[in-house]
Amino acid sequence: MNGTLRFNSISNIYAGQNSGLSGNANMNTTYKFGKKFFLTANMGISQGAVTIQTNLYLAHSYSMGGGCKLFGDRISISASASNFLNKTWSYSSITTGSYFSLKSISTTPFKAFAFTVSWAFGKLKENVSKKKGVVNDDLL
C-alpha cells in the first residue's frame, strides 16, 4: 500500500485563486498457492493537481491476474485483466474563468488483457567481501 496527499494553492492577479487536494493511493497484493501458483490484484485512485482555472477528475483503475511457475521457477506464465467490468471509462474536467465555464467529458475504452511468459536465465551472483571491521591505521 502506498499513497500521497498534497494541498495545492495557486493565485494569479488576473484569474484569481484556486486551491484543493490532490494525490494518489495504490494497493497491491499477491496470494501464492503452494510453490507454483499465484493470484495478483491491485487497485488505485488518483486526483490531479488543481490549476488556476481547472479542476480535474478523480481517476481509478483495478486489475486481477494469476499464473504459475514452471521448471524450478525459471519460467513464469501469467494472465491479467485490467478494468474489465466497464466497457468504457468517462472522465471530466471543469475550466472556469471570469466570463466562461467549460466542462469537458471524455470517454475512452479502458480495458486491457495481457498474457505474459517470463524466462529467468543465468544466475544472479554477488561477490561480497568477507572482510569485517574497519582498519584505521592513519598516523598523525
Side-chain angles (χ1 to χ4, degrees), residues 75-94:
I75 295 179
S76 178
I77 299 172
S78 62
S80 65
S82 299
N83 306 304
F84 51 87
L85 295 176
N86 300 338
K87 184 176 180 178
T88 59
W89 183 55
S90 295
Y91 55 94
S92 64
S93 65
I94 300 172

Side-chain angles (χ1 to χ4, degrees), residues 82-138:
S82 299
N83 306 304
F84 51 87
L85 295 176
N86 300 338
K87 184 176 180 178
T88 59
W89 183 55
S90 295
Y91 55 94
S92 64
S93 65
I94 300 172
T95 303
T96 56
S98 299
Y99 302 104
F100 72 94
S101 179
L102 172 68
K103 182 174 184 177
S104 173
I105 300 173
S106 299
T107 301
T108 183
F110 200 55
K111 291 182 185 182
F113 300 97
F115 180 74
T116 307
V117 177
S118 301
W119 175 32
F121 56 92
K123 293 183 180 182
L124 180 63
K125 292 184 180 181
E126 183 176 326
N127 294 329
V128 179
S129 174
K130 302 290 182 185
K131 184 178 175 182
K132 293 184 180 184
V134 176
V135 176
N136 190 358
D137 56 3
D138 294 343

Side-chain angles (χ1 to χ4, degrees), residues 48-66:
V50 171
T51 67
I52 193 71
Q53 292 182 312
T54 303
N55 291 319
L56 299 172
Y57 58 91
L58 179 67
H60 64 282
S61 64
Y62 57 90
S63 70
M64 295 179 71

Side-chain angles (χ1 to χ4, degrees), residues 22-49:
S22 63
N24 65 316
N26 298 291
M27 185 173 77
N28 305 301
T29 187
T30 299
Y31 181 78
K32 294 182 180 180
F33 295 95
K35 294 182 180 182
K36 300 269 185 212
F37 299 98
F38 59 91
L39 291 175
T40 61
N42 68 61
M43 57 193 268
I45 59 171
S46 177
Q47 175 67 49

